[in-house]
């Protein structure tokens, strides 16, 4: 992070925690608001504050870098849209670009789950949608919740989704609501598919952590002193 130019510079460290000189991202990138490993674990996804412009003049705010740091020319051409727009001559709505922060999660099928909070709304409104590897909207994704002001969705390793006690299939359809997990936050997922959940204690004196095994419930053998 540089105070002269706020933002992050992606680095890859070797197993002995030295900077890997084989990773050479291009200079002059827009400010990077977040960095993620791709679903293939061999690429880097950058969520950008401003659009990156390709040689063919197409633009994106979601850029993929190869393992050596070079730009993937097949990166998704994706610009998030706002809640304001205009009517085109054919009667369709042209939404204005959204210039705020957004989060992105790579999905096992090569697509991405994108979500962000729309500004200037009387009631907080989350945008949650799935985009294809090329950045176009996935028309088969219909998120089955009407609670658009709750916290963001978490993506599990199989592509399914979790939000405040409810699990969804990869296509956004409802899979299961678990009342015991309502208002519980997903902190992490173990390789076996079990989940580390957190929640405030009833008296708000601290946070409890427990392990949840889908289909079996709480793991009584997991005792966390925090």
């Amino acid at each position: 992070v540089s105070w002269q130019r706020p933002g992050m510079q992606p680095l890859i460290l070797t197993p002995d925690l030295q900077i890997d000189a084989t990773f050479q991202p291009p200079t002059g990138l827009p400010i990077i608001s977040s960095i993620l490993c791709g679903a293939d674990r061999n690429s880097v996804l950058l969520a950008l504050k401003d659009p990156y412009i390709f040689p063919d003049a197409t633009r994106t705010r979601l850029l993929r870098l190869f393992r050596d740091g070079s730009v993937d020319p097949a990166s998704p051409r994706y610009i998030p849209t706002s809640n304001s727009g205009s009517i085109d001559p054919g009667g369709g709505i042209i939404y204005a670009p959204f210039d705020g922060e957004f989060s992105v999660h790579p999905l096992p099928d090569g697509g991405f789950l994108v979500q962000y909070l729309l500004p200037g709304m009387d009631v907080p409104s989350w945008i949650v949608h799935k985009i294809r590897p090329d950045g176009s909207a996935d028309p088969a994704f219909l998120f089955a919740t009407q609670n658009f002001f709750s916290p963001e969705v978490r993506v599990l390793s199989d592509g399914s989704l979790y939000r405040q006690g409810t699990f969804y299939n990869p296509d956004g359809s409802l899979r299961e609501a678990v009342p015991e997990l309502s208002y519980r936050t997903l902190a992490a997922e173990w390789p076996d598919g079990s989940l580390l959940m957190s929640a405030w204690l009833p008296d708000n004196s601290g946070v409890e952590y427990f392990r949840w095994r889908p289909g079996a419930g709480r793991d009584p053998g997991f005792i966390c002193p925090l």
Side-chain angles (χ1 to χ4, degrees):
V1 179
S2 167
W3 64 268
Q4 297 164 313
R5 186 175 186 272
M8 287 183 280
Q9 173 66 26
L11 300 172
I12 290 181
L13 302 181
T14 61
D16 58 356
L17 303 183
Q18 300 300 307
I19 294 176
D20 187 343
T22 66
F23 181 72
Q24 294 292 326
T27 59
L29 286 173
I31 291 175
I32 301 166
S33 58
S34 67
I35 302 170
L36 294 169
C37 276
D40 61 0
R41 311 299 297 173
N42 203 35
S43 60
V44 180
L45 294 174
L46 308 179
L48 305 174
K49 182 178 179 182
D50 298 303
Y52 176 86
I53 303 175
F54 289 91
D56 62 2
T58 55
R59 300 152 65 89
T60 188
R61 286 187 59 197
L62 181 56
L63 187 67
R64 183 188 290 111
L65 303 182
F66 288 126
R67 178 59 180 80
D68 62 0
S70 60
V71 171
D72 179 1
S75 294
R77 270 51 169 181
Y78 174 72
I79 303 288
T81 55
S82 69
N83 56 326
S84 62
S86 58
I87 305 298
D88 66 19
I93 299 177
I94 302 175
Y95 288 100
F98 170 78
D99 58 7
E101 298 289 331
F102 68 96
S103 64
V104 58
H105 304 269
L107 299 173
D109 63 2
F112 309 91
L113 188 80
V114 176
Q115 43 193 330
Y116 51 93
L117 189 64
L118 289 175
M121 305 289 286
D122 293 333
V123 177
S125 180
W126 284 90
I127 295 294
V128 180
H129 61 184
K130 180 180 177 181
I131 62 175
R132 295 165 169 161
D134 64 359
S136 61
D138 184 344
F141 181 77
L142 298 173
F143 195 46
T145 179
Q146 300 301 314
N147 190 8
F148 292 110
F149 50 87
S150 64
E152 69 175 324
V153 178
R154 293 293 300 271
V155 179
L156 303 180
S157 58
D158 63 356
S160 60
L161 312 173
Y162 172 83
R163 177 192 256 176
Q164 287 199 328
T166 305
F167 293 89
Y168 302 88
N169 296 311
D171 64 358
S173 59
L174 179 65
R175 189 179 83 190
E176 179 185 17
V178 184
E180 184 178 349
L181 296 183
S182 295
Y183 303 105
R184 265 57 177 179
T185 300
L186 172 59
E189 181 183 11
W190 271 283
D192 67 355
S194 60
L195 308 174
L196 176 65
M197 312 298 296
S198 68
W200 284 98
L201 294 171
D203 60 359
N204 291 325
S205 62
V207 176
E208 69 163 340
Y209 293 89
F210 60 92
R211 190 170 191 168
W212 179 268
R213 296 185 181 276
R218 285 194 184 217
D219 181 352
F222 181 80
I223 307 297
C224 182
L226 298 178

